[in-house]
PDB file of all heavy atoms in Angstrom:
ATOM      1  N   GLN A  31       6.995   2.632  20.173  1.00 97.00           N
ATOM      2  CA  GLN A  31       7.163   2.544  18.726  1.00 97.00           C
ATOM      3  C   GLN A  31       5.803   2.566  18.026  1.00 97.00           C
ATOM      4  O   GLN A  31       4.890   1.838  18.414  1.00 97.00           O
ATOM      5  CB  GLN A  31       7.904   1.253  18.356  1.00 97.00           C
ATOM      6  CG  GLN A  31       9.234   1.076  19.067  1.00 97.00           C
ATOM      7  CD  GLN A  31      10.209   2.201  18.762  1.00 97.00           C
ATOM      8  OE1 GLN A  31      10.356   2.588  17.608  1.00 97.00           O
ATOM      9  NE2 GLN A  31      10.868   2.706  19.792  1.00 97.00           N
ATOM     10  N   ILE A  32       5.679   3.379  17.001  1.00 97.00           N
ATOM     11  CA  ILE A  32       4.460   3.421  16.194  1.00 97.00           C
ATOM     12  C   ILE A  32       4.441   2.264  15.200  1.00 97.00           C
ATOM     13  O   ILE A  32       5.418   2.006  14.507  1.00 97.00           O
ATOM     14  CB  ILE A  32       4.366   4.747  15.421  1.00 97.00           C
ATOM     15  CG1 ILE A  32       4.035   5.904  16.362  1.00 97.00           C
ATOM     16  CG2 ILE A  32       3.336   4.648  14.292  1.00 97.00           C
ATOM     17  CD1 ILE A  32       2.593   5.974  16.786  1.00 97.00           C
ATOM     18  N   VAL A  33       3.322   1.555  15.143  1.00 98.00           N
ATOM     19  CA  VAL A  33       3.043   0.593  14.085  1.00 98.00           C
ATOM     20  C   VAL A  33       1.828   1.126  13.341  1.00 98.00           C
ATOM     21  O   VAL A  33       0.729   1.209  13.895  1.00 98.00           O
ATOM     22  CB  VAL A  33       2.773  -0.816  14.634  1.00 98.00           C
ATOM     23  CG1 VAL A  33       2.326  -1.745  13.502  1.00 98.00           C
ATOM     24  CG2 VAL A  33       4.013  -1.366  15.313  1.00 98.00           C
ATOM     25  N   GLU A  34       2.045   1.502  12.091  1.00 97.00           N
ATOM     26  CA  GLU A  34       1.003   2.171  11.330  1.00 97.00           C
ATOM     27  C   GLU A  34       0.176   1.161  10.550  1.00 97.00           C
ATOM     28  O   GLU A  34       0.712   0.301   9.851  1.00 97.00           O
ATOM     29  CB  GLU A  34       1.654   3.172  10.372  1.00 97.00           C
ATOM     30  CG  GLU A  34       0.831   4.382  10.086  1.00 97.00           C
ATOM     31  CD  GLU A  34       1.602   5.444   9.300  1.00 97.00           C
ATOM     32  OE1 GLU A  34       2.833   5.311   9.139  1.00 97.00           O
ATOM     33  OE2 GLU A  34       0.952   6.398   8.837  1.00 97.00           O
ATOM     34  N   THR A  35      -1.146   1.238  10.689  1.00 98.00           N
ATOM     35  CA  THR A  35      -2.061   0.486   9.837  1.00 98.00           C
ATOM     36  C   THR A  35      -2.975   1.495   9.153  1.00 98.00           C
ATOM     37  O   THR A  35      -2.950   2.690   9.464  1.00 98.00           O
ATOM     38  CB  THR A  35      -2.905  -0.516  10.647  1.00 98.00           C
ATOM     39  OG1 THR A  35      -3.774   0.208  11.524  1.00 98.00           O
ATOM     40  CG2 THR A  35      -2.014  -1.432  11.472  1.00 98.00           C
ATOM     41  N   SER A  36      -3.782   1.037   8.215  1.00 97.00           N
ATOM     42  CA  SER A  36      -4.618   1.947   7.439  1.00 97.00           C
ATOM     43  C   SER A  36      -6.091   1.697   7.696  1.00 97.00           C
ATOM     44  O   SER A  36      -6.515   0.576   8.015  1.00 97.00           O
ATOM     45  CB  SER A  36      -4.344   1.782   5.938  1.00 97.00           C
ATOM     46  OG  SER A  36      -3.011   2.125   5.638  1.00 97.00           O
ATOM     47  N   LEU A  37      -6.882   2.747   7.533  1.00 97.00           N
ATOM     48  CA  LEU A  37      -8.324   2.602   7.468  1.00 97.00           C
ATOM     49  C   LEU A  37      -8.692   1.904   6.160  1.00 97.00           C
ATOM     50  O   LEU A  37      -7.866   1.769   5.252  1.00 97.00           O
ATOM     51  CB  LEU A  37      -8.990   3.977   7.521  1.00 97.00           C
ATOM     52  CG  LEU A  37      -8.703   4.837   8.755  1.00 97.00           C
ATOM     53  CD1 LEU A  37      -9.270   6.236   8.567  1.00 97.00           C
ATOM     54  CD2 LEU A  37      -9.266   4.198  10.013  1.00 97.00           C
ATOM     55  N   THR A  38      -9.933   1.466   6.046  1.00 97.00           N
ATOM     56  CA  THR A  38     -10.383   0.871   4.787  1.00 97.00           C
ATOM     57  C   THR A  38     -10.505   1.956   3.719  1.00 97.00           C
ATOM     58  O   THR A  38     -10.410   3.156   4.004  1.00 97.00           O
ATOM     59  CB  THR A  38     -11.755   0.202   4.954  1.00 97.00           C
ATOM     60  OG1 THR A  38     -12.742   1.214   5.189  1.00 97.00           O
ATOM     61  CG2 THR A  38     -11.744  -0.792   6.105  1.00 97.00           C
ATOM     62  N   ALA A  39     -10.780   1.544   2.494  1.00 94.00           N
ATOM     63  CA  ALA A  39     -10.957   2.499   1.403  1.00 94.00           C
ATOM     64  C   ALA A  39     -12.130   3.425   1.663  1.00 94.00           C
ATOM     65  O   ALA A  39     -12.187   4.541   1.140  1.00 94.00           O
ATOM     66  CB  ALA A  39     -11.164   1.747   0.087  1.00 94.00           C
ATOM     67  N   GLU A  40     -13.073   2.982   2.494  1.00 95.00           N
ATOM     68  CA  GLU A  40     -14.221   3.809   2.850  1.00 95.00           C
ATOM     69  C   GLU A  40     -13.969   4.639   4.104  1.00 95.00           C
ATOM     70  O   GLU A  40     -14.881   5.299   4.616  1.00 95.00           O
ATOM     71  CB  GLU A  40     -15.465   2.927   3.068  1.00 95.00           C
ATOM     72  CG  GLU A  40     -15.972   2.226   1.821  1.00 95.00           C
ATOM     73  CD  GLU A  40     -15.070   1.068   1.411  1.00 95.00           C
ATOM     74  OE1 GLU A  40     -14.506   0.388   2.316  1.00 95.00           O
ATOM     75  OE2 GLU A  40     -14.912   0.850   0.187  1.00 95.00           O
ATOM     76  N   GLY A  41     -12.740   4.584   4.617  1.00 96.00           N
ATOM     77  CA  GLY A  41     -12.402   5.372   5.791  1.00 96.00           C
ATOM     78  C   GLY A  41     -12.878   4.768   7.100  1.00 96.00           C
ATOM     79  O   GLY A  41     -12.999   5.477   8.104  1.00 96.00           O
ATOM     80  N   ARG A  42     -13.116   3.471   7.137  1.00 97.00           N
ATOM     81  CA  ARG A  42     -13.612   2.804   8.341  1.00 97.00           C
ATOM     82  C   ARG A  42     -12.475   2.043   9.030  1.00 97.00           C
ATOM     83  O   ARG A  42     -11.424   1.774   8.438  1.00 97.00           O
ATOM     84  CB  ARG A  42     -14.721   1.806   7.996  1.00 97.00           C
ATOM     85  CG  ARG A  42     -15.824   2.289   7.096  1.00 97.00           C
ATOM     86  CD  ARG A  42     -16.650   3.416   7.651  1.00 97.00           C
ATOM     87  NE  ARG A  42     -17.121   3.199   9.013  1.00 97.00           N
ATOM     88  CZ  ARG A  42     -17.986   4.021   9.633  1.00 97.00           C
ATOM     89  NH1 ARG A  42     -18.454   5.089   9.003  1.00 97.00           N
ATOM     90  NH2 ARG A  42     -18.368   3.779  10.871  1.00 97.00           N
ATOM     91  N   LEU A  43     -12.705   1.675  10.295  1.00 98.00           N
ATOM     92  CA  LEU A  43     -11.748   0.834  11.003  1.00 98.00           C
ATOM     93  C   LEU A  43     -11.639  -0.526  10.318  1.00 98.00           C
ATOM     94  O   LEU A  43     -12.645  -1.090   9.869  1.00 98.00           O
ATOM     95  CB  LEU A  43     -12.189   0.615  12.451  1.00 98.00           C
ATOM     96  CG  LEU A  43     -12.039   1.776  13.417  1.00 98.00           C
ATOM     97  CD1 LEU A  43     -12.562   1.373  14.802  1.00 98.00           C
ATOM     98  CD2 LEU A  43     -10.590   2.229  13.523  1.00 98.00           C
ATOM     99  N   ASP A  44     -10.426  -1.046  10.271  1.00 98.00           N
ATOM    100  CA  ASP A  44     -10.162  -2.338   9.641  1.00 98.00           C
ATOM    101  C   ASP A  44      -9.567  -3.258  10.701  1.00 98.00           C
ATOM    102  O   ASP A  44      -8.369  -3.193  10.990  1.00 98.00           O
ATOM    103  CB  ASP A  44      -9.196  -2.152   8.467  1.00 98.00           C
ATOM    104  CG  ASP A  44      -8.991  -3.420   7.661  1.00 98.00           C
ATOM    105  OD1 ASP A  44      -9.206  -4.515   8.208  1.00 98.00           O
ATOM    106  OD2 ASP A  44      -8.598  -3.314   6.484  1.00 98.00           O
ATOM    107  N   ALA A  45     -10.405  -4.099  11.295  1.00 98.00           N
ATOM    108  CA  ALA A  45      -9.946  -4.973  12.383  1.00 98.00           C
ATOM    109  C   ALA A  45      -8.867  -5.938  11.906  1.00 98.00           C
ATOM    110  O   ALA A  45      -7.927  -6.247  12.662  1.00 98.00           O
ATOM    111  CB  ALA A  45     -11.127  -5.741  12.970  1.00 98.00           C
ATOM    112  N   ASP A  46      -8.977  -6.414  10.683  1.00 98.00           N
ATOM    113  CA  ASP A  46      -7.964  -7.344  10.167  1.00 98.00           C
ATOM    114  C   ASP A  46      -6.611  -6.645  10.054  1.00 98.00           C
ATOM    115  O   ASP A  46      -5.568  -7.223  10.400  1.00 98.00           O
ATOM    116  CB  ASP A  46      -8.376  -7.882   8.800  1.00 98.00           C
ATOM    117  CG  ASP A  46      -9.570  -8.821   8.878  1.00 98.00           C
ATOM    118  OD1 ASP A  46      -9.806  -9.383   9.961  1.00 98.00           O
ATOM    119  OD2 ASP A  46     -10.263  -8.981   7.852  1.00 98.00           O
ATOM    120  N   ALA A  47      -6.601  -5.398   9.572  1.00 98.00           N
ATOM    121  CA  ALA A  47      -5.345  -4.657   9.468  1.00 98.00           C
ATOM    122  C   ALA A  47      -4.766  -4.391  10.853  1.00 98.00           C
ATOM    123  O   ALA A  47      -3.539  -4.450  11.045  1.00 98.00           O
ATOM    124  CB  ALA A  47      -5.576  -3.340   8.726  1.00 98.00           C
ATOM    125  N   ILE A  48      -5.621  -4.103  11.824  1.00 98.00           N
ATOM    126  CA  ILE A  48      -5.142  -3.868  13.191  1.00 98.00           C
ATOM    127  C   ILE A  48      -4.535  -5.145  13.755  1.00 98.00           C
ATOM    128  O   ILE A  48      -3.478  -5.111  14.401  1.00 98.00           O
ATOM    129  CB  ILE A  48      -6.295  -3.348  14.065  1.00 98.00           C
ATOM    130  CG1 ILE A  48      -6.675  -1.922  13.634  1.00 98.00           C
ATOM    131  CG2 ILE A  48      -5.913  -3.376  15.542  1.00 98.00           C
ATOM    132  CD1 ILE A  48      -7.935  -1.394  14.277  1.00 98.00           C
ATOM    133  N   GLU A  49      -5.175  -6.273  13.498  1.00 98.00           N
ATOM    134  CA  GLU A  49      -4.614  -7.533  13.991  1.00 98.00           C
ATOM    135  C   GLU A  49      -3.259  -7.814  13.329  1.00 98.00           C
ATOM    136  O   GLU A  49      -2.313  -8.257  14.000  1.00 98.00           O
ATOM    137  CB  GLU A  49      -5.571  -8.691  13.739  1.00 98.00           C
ATOM    138  CG  GLU A  49      -5.067 -10.003  14.308  1.00 98.00           C
ATOM    139  CD  GLU A  49      -6.157 -10.997  14.611  1.00 98.00           C
ATOM    140  OE1 GLU A  49      -7.174 -11.015  13.886  1.00 98.00           O
ATOM    141  OE2 GLU A  49      -5.993 -11.786  15.566  1.00 98.00           O
ATOM    142  N   GLU A  50      -3.166  -7.554  12.029  1.00 98.00           N
ATOM    143  CA  GLU A  50      -1.885  -7.749  11.343  1.00 98.00           C
ATOM    144  C   GLU A  50      -0.821  -6.840  11.956  1.00 98.00           C
ATOM    145  O   GLU A  50       0.335  -7.249  12.129  1.00 98.00           O
ATOM    146  CB  GLU A  50      -2.062  -7.453   9.856  1.00 98.00           C
ATOM    147  CG  GLU A  50      -0.894  -7.868   8.979  1.00 98.00           C
ATOM    148  CD  GLU A  50       0.186  -6.786   8.892  1.00 98.00           C
ATOM    149  OE1 GLU A  50      -0.158  -5.591   9.043  1.00 98.00           O
ATOM    150  OE2 GLU A  50       1.367  -7.140   8.680  1.00 98.00           O
ATOM    151  N   GLY A  51      -1.193  -5.610  12.303  1.00 98.00           N
ATOM    152  CA  GLY A  51      -0.253  -4.707  12.957  1.00 98.00           C
ATOM    153  C   GLY A  51       0.185  -5.223  14.311  1.00 98.00           C
ATOM    154  O   GLY A  51       1.365  -5.108  14.684  1.00 98.00           O
ATOM    155  N   LEU A  52      -0.740  -5.804  15.065  1.00 98.00           N
ATOM    156  CA  LEU A  52      -0.383  -6.375  16.369  1.00 98.00           C
ATOM    157  C   LEU A  52       0.536  -7.583  16.200  1.00 98.00           C
ATOM    158  O   LEU A  52       1.466  -7.786  17.004  1.00 98.00           O
ATOM    159  CB  LEU A  52      -1.645  -6.771  17.125  1.00 98.00           C
ATOM    160  CG  LEU A  52      -2.475  -5.602  17.668  1.00 98.00           C
ATOM    161  CD1 LEU A  52      -3.812  -6.093  18.197  1.00 98.00           C
ATOM    162  CD2 LEU A  52      -1.703  -4.864  18.771  1.00 98.00           C
ATOM    163  N   LEU A  53       0.299  -8.385  15.185  1.00 98.00           N
ATOM    164  CA  LEU A  53       1.181  -9.520  14.926  1.00 98.00           C
ATOM    165  C   LEU A  53       2.589  -9.043  14.574  1.00 98.00           C
ATOM    166  O   LEU A  53       3.595  -9.637  15.021  1.00 98.00           O
ATOM    167  CB  LEU A  53       0.608 -10.381  13.797  1.00 98.00           C
ATOM    168  CG  LEU A  53      -0.661 -11.181  14.150  1.00 98.00           C
ATOM    169  CD1 LEU A  53      -1.281 -11.781  12.894  1.00 98.00           C
ATOM    170  CD2 LEU A  53      -0.320 -12.274  15.164  1.00 98.00           C
ATOM    171  N   ARG A  54       2.677  -7.969  13.783  1.00 97.00           N
ATOM    172  CA  ARG A  54       3.997  -7.401  13.471  1.00 97.00           C
ATOM    173  C   ARG A  54       4.670  -6.890  14.736  1.00 97.00           C
ATOM    174  O   ARG A  54       5.891  -7.046  14.915  1.00 97.00           O
ATOM    175  CB  ARG A  54       3.849  -6.268  12.458  1.00 97.00           C
ATOM    176  CG  ARG A  54       3.691  -6.718  11.019  1.00 97.00           C
ATOM    177  CD  ARG A  54       3.825  -5.541  10.068  1.00 97.00           C
ATOM    178  NE  ARG A  54       2.617  -4.740  10.013  1.00 97.00           N
ATOM    179  CZ  ARG A  54       2.585  -3.426  10.054  1.00 97.00           C
ATOM    180  NH1 ARG A  54       3.708  -2.729  10.195  1.00 97.00           N
ATOM    181  NH2 ARG A  54       1.441  -2.773   9.982  1.00 97.00           N
ATOM    182  N   ALA A  55       3.880  -6.272  15.593  1.00 97.00           N
ATOM    183  CA  ALA A  55       4.445  -5.760  16.846  1.00 97.00           C
ATOM    184  C   ALA A  55       4.987  -6.897  17.709  1.00 97.00           C
ATOM    185  O   ALA A  55       6.088  -6.797  18.269  1.00 97.00           O
ATOM    186  CB  ALA A  55       3.365  -4.978  17.596  1.00 97.00           C
ATOM    187  N   ARG A  56       4.222  -7.967  17.800  1.00 95.00           N
ATOM    188  CA  ARG A  56       4.675  -9.129  18.581  1.00 95.00           C
ATOM    189  C   ARG A  56       5.960  -9.720  17.982  1.00 95.00           C
ATOM    190  O   ARG A  56       6.897 -10.065  18.704  1.00 95.00           O
ATOM    191  CB  ARG A  56       3.576 -10.188  18.599  1.00 95.00           C
ATOM    192  CG  ARG A  56       2.375  -9.846  19.458  1.00 95.00           C
ATOM    193  CD  ARG A  56       2.716  -9.882  20.919  1.00 95.00           C
ATOM    194  NE  ARG A  56       1.525  -9.882  21.764  1.00 95.00           N
ATOM    195  CZ  ARG A  56       1.567  -9.726  23.065  1.00 95.00           C
ATOM    196  NH1 ARG A  56       2.731  -9.547  23.666  1.00 95.00           N
ATOM    197  NH2 ARG A  56       0.466  -9.723  23.773  1.00 95.00           N
TER     198      ARG A  56
END
């Protein structure tokens, strides 16, 4: 299953968004 998160407004990796996505997955 895909859990989609977003890059930052500057197009960079967003570790907080990735963690939130992992929490949703769990």
Side-chain angles (χ1 to χ4, degrees):
Q31 306 300 315
I32 288 283
V33 173
E34 211 171 350
T35 66
S36 297
L37 301 172
T38 68
E40 294 74 35
R42 312 297 311 187
L43 286 179
D44 186 337
D46 291 337
I48 290 171
E49 183 155 33
E50 191 273 333
L52 288 171
L53 289 169
R54 280 191 282 135
R56 288 290 194 190

